[in-house]
Amino acid sequence: MKKTLLTQALCASVLIGAIAAPVHAGEAELMQKIEKLAAELDAIKAELAANRKKTESVAQKQEVLAISVASNTASSAAANSVANSPMQSSPQTVISSYGEISYTRPRNASNETQADVGRAVLGIAHRFDEKNKVVAEFEWEHAVTSKDDNGEAAVEQLYVEHELDHGLRAKGGLFLMPVGMLNTSHEPTAFFGVHRNFVETAIIPTTWREVGFALSGAHDNGISWDAGVTTGFDLSKWDAASGDGAESPLGSIHQEGQLAKSHDLAVHAAVNWRGVPGLLLGGAVFSGKAGQASTDFSGNAARVTLWDLHARYTPGDFDLSALYSRASISNTEALNLTFAGQPSPVPSSFYGWYLQGAYKLWSNKNYSLTPFVRYEQFNTAARYSAMPQGLGVPVAPAEKVQTFGANFRLGEGVVLKADLQKFKQNSANDRFNLGVGYSF
Amino acid sequence: MKPLNPIVLSALGAGLCAFAPSAFATQYLTVEQAQQVIFPEASSFKLATLQLTLAQMQQVATLAGLPARSVAWRVIAAYQGEQLLGHIVLDEVIGKFELISYAVGLQADATVRQIEILNYRESHGFEIKNANWRKQFSGKNASAGLNIGQGIANISGATLSCTHVTDGVRRIAAIAQVALRK
């Protein structure tokens, strides 16, 4: 704009100069004057352009300086943080989600083929300050929940966590039990196979959570541990007439924070060691009485104890894991007498183990293909307490399942899965599964 | 003293003040402590902001296989007397849900010397602090060995944290190779 004004002023002066020239001045003299003024005008124009360039360059430098100063000011303000650029500051509230959708076709009963939105989970974690946060996860199973549908809506986790010291944390609320490998890391992107493995479903009732308090610690030598006091199981829920207990003994009597009977509390402890890169060795134990002082109930002396040992080794593109878990329910004699004649009394012992190997066969920047094979053996009723002659139920044989399949990863958060499962005892269960899952 | 040519030395005083010892309960190391741990033989440290050019950012993306993410990076040059020992680049990545602050020490030739976790806020995955896991990065550069499964072993149960830190270190090693290597 300045340039335009100046140009106009100069043009005006040229005109005035021309008009003011003596009438008797020769044409040549006039032309000379005009040319001189024109030359001066060009020189001024050039100077203006040069000045303009300089101004722009200074403005740019000032802008860079302003950004730098702003970022340093921000870092001074957050004097306790090293959060200054490139990532700015930590988000206070994080929304997360995972979900899995599957298609399952039994080999010998195609009429039972099913597609299911197995899980849709929404999570919110909010950090109040550097020491306190809350974690909440809400889950829908099987798509629709209503009086006439089979779906389920549940609070999967709801706890507050407080940091006491470096790596030492206390939490209270509804949280996942640190038993096995799948229970605390159960997103579809974290495990192989369309469906979760049987051992950590039938024996360890993933996703298993209890209400209570717990402490967690982690040390520089690679050892981390958990210990806590929580609600336990409610044996009075056992339904000897149904097959639920045979499918997952603890899954059929868990309470999940739903008006949980809390007369009998349980304790748990877990230790994991990750001292060698790629290797995890760990174990956990949980024990608590399960009668909950229920009225007119003959199982009030019963105690549920569950333990597991697990290992995972991930050298290079291999992913190898093994887990063994065993559980017992003590003092079930009197209770099982009341179940005489029914198909599913309370087992006194049940166990399972698996071996799994996976290998990342192919990958590029955005995709990876990892075939895997898993062999598992489990028995949800390996033993019953002694019953009078003729009233007992024979012990079931252990089921052995082979799973062959592959996970195909799309980036970090999406996985496509396919597998084939063969059952040794009950081959009618043989099935082919397809699935898609995500997690963020 | 040899100037850091591609580095815009700006607001040094204010910057250093910003890294005063922290009162964070979750902070394992302050930047000063990390400096001493990574370059114990250094006699002086100089903080600067490294500004990448567009061409450098493209080179970083090619080398690391990841976007360069930012133009400006906080770099501390470590000197023993007049001699440049190397650099420390400060960065943060999201673990699973929360930020992990870490420092990458680099030799003058842009190989990784050492990494230190400054701040970890997640409920799980503290194991990335483990010295044996961090040792895997030493001596490697952006060209090879800085990927999960290829040079860096995964941590079971902390896959996202260790993947994101490993990606971050690879990006910083590429930045060092492109803009800091002597």
Side-chain angles (χ1 to χ4, degrees), chain A residues 78-310:
Chain A
N80 292 332
S81 166
V82 290
N84 173 28
S85 80
M87 285 294 290
Q88 296 94 38
S89 59
S90 178
Q92 274 199 314
T93 305
V94 178
I95 293 179
S96 62
S97 176
Y98 71 87
E100 51 195 20
I101 299 158
S102 66
Y103 167 90
T104 296
R105 184 184 175 94
R107 196 179 65 165
N108 298 320
S110 59
N111 58 326
E112 290 175 16
T113 303
Q114 263 188 349
D116 187 32
V117 181
R119 289 181 182 85
V121 178
L122 284 176
I124 299 173
H126 178 76
R127 180 169 282 288
F128 298 106
D129 53 51
E130 283 305 317
K131 289 195 159 196
N132 300 294
K133 70 174 180 182
V134 60
V135 175
E137 245 180 41
F138 307 98
E139 178 181 52
W140 284 264
E141 286 187 5
H142 311 302
V144 182
T145 304
S146 78
K147 187 165 76 73
D148 305 317
D149 295 295
N150 293 321
E152 186 178 302
V155 177
E156 193 171 291
Q157 299 184 65
L158 189 68
Y159 66 87
V160 291
E161 185 180 272
H162 177 73
E163 174 152 345
L164 298 165
D165 195 5
H166 290 178
L168 180 64
R169 281 142 203 256
K171 62 184 166 191
L174 178 74
F175 52 84
L176 299 171
M177 302 307 289
V179 180
M181 288 187 283
L182 188 66
N183 199 53
T184 52
S185 188
H186 51 256
E187 297 85 354
T189 47
F191 63 87
F192 291 103
V194 174
H195 299 291
R196 295 170 175 178
N197 71 68
F198 284 99
V199 178
E200 292 181 275
T201 309
I203 309 301
I204 301 170
T206 304
T207 315
W208 175 23
R209 61 269 189 183
E210 300 286 354
V211 172
F213 291 96
L215 284 173
S216 304
H219 304 277
D220 287 348
N221 57 11
I223 287 178
S224 57
W225 56 269
D226 299 85
V229 178
T230 64
T231 52
F233 295 95
D234 176 13
L235 192 56
S236 70
K237 287 166 71 174
W238 189 274
D239 182 358
S242 83
D244 291 351
E247 197 177 305
S248 172
L250 297 181
S252 72
I253 58 171
H254 61 186
Q255 303 202 78
E256 302 181 311
Q258 183 197 182
L259 303 173
K261 292 183 182 175
S262 306
H263 177 272
D264 297 324
L265 295 178
V267 292
H268 70 268
V271 178
N272 286 288
W273 180 70
R274 296 175 176 91
V276 172
L279 180 64
L280 161 68
L281 298 174
V285 61
F286 168 96
S287 184
K289 287 177 73 179
Q292 307 296 347
S294 304
T295 312
D296 298 328
F297 181 60
S298 45
N300 279 329
R303 171 176 287 276
V304 170
T305 300
L306 170 70
W307 58 270
D308 95 285
L309 290 171
H310 52 259

